[in-house]
Amino acid sequence: MTPPMINGLLASPSFGILARVLLTFVFWSSGLAKVLDFGGAVAEMERYDVMPAAPMAIAVIIVQLGGCALVISGRWAWLGAGALGVFTALTIPIAHAFWTMTGEAAFIEMMFTFEHVSLIGGLVMVAILHREARVAGAPALAGF
């Protein structure tokens, strides 16, 4: 049985928004950094051989910031969570291919991969909770 205070917190729309802001922090902070330093964003694409670099940097910014906006707003959160989840999965073979490395570098990239997989699981939970809220007829932003 969940204590009443915890129940109240978990049912709070504001707490739901905070949770979605925190879950998407890695994406919106990265997207904003890319907007503020577009040259650095292009250089990052080039470093990982993602070409054409400038259009791909723009696409990444759109996915990161657009996906976050959808998840945080609770409107079409399933779409935003899905876009961010697919994006995160695609970064694994591009930027964290630990299976091609050895030693400490391989271990570090493997840990990044594990974190990415966990983050994808959190995004899937957002999509599930969003669906359940819509099926239950909850208004947008009511918890999820």
Side-chain angles (χ1 to χ4, degrees):
M1 182 167 155
T2 308
M5 184 175 103
I6 301 299
N7 261 340
L9 185 62
L10 295 175
S12 166
S14 298
F15 194 68
I17 292 169
L18 175 63
R20 295 190 304 274
V21 167
L22 294 174
L23 177 65
T24 59
F25 173 77
V26 69
F27 300 110
W28 57 259
S29 62
S30 175
L32 289 175
K34 285 174 178 61
V35 167
L36 295 174
D37 180 14
F38 188 71
V42 172
E44 182 180 22
M45 297 301 124
E46 290 170 344
R47 182 170 54 251
Y48 292 113
D49 265 346
V50 178
M51 300 294 177
M56 290 303 290
I58 292 168
V60 167
I61 291 167
I62 290 168
V63 168
Q64 288 181 318
L65 297 180
C68 289
L70 294 173
V71 170
I72 293 168
S73 73
R75 306 250 182 219
W76 291 24
W78 63 270
L79 180 60
L84 294 172
V86 168
F87 168 79
T88 302
L90 291 173
T91 66
I92 293 170
I94 293 170
H96 305 293
F98 66 89
W99 53 90
T100 67
M101 304 171 185
T102 59
E104 187 176 347
F107 179 77
I108 290 169
E109 294 305 325
M110 185 175 67
M111 292 296 102
F112 279 124
T113 296
F114 290 176
E115 289 177 357
H116 280 40
V117 170
S118 294
L119 184 55
I120 292 167
L123 292 164
V124 170
M125 286 303 303
V126 165
I128 290 168
L129 291 169
H130 182 262
R131 180 197 170 278
E132 288 180 0
R134 298 292 80 78
V135 168
L141 300 180
F144 262 89

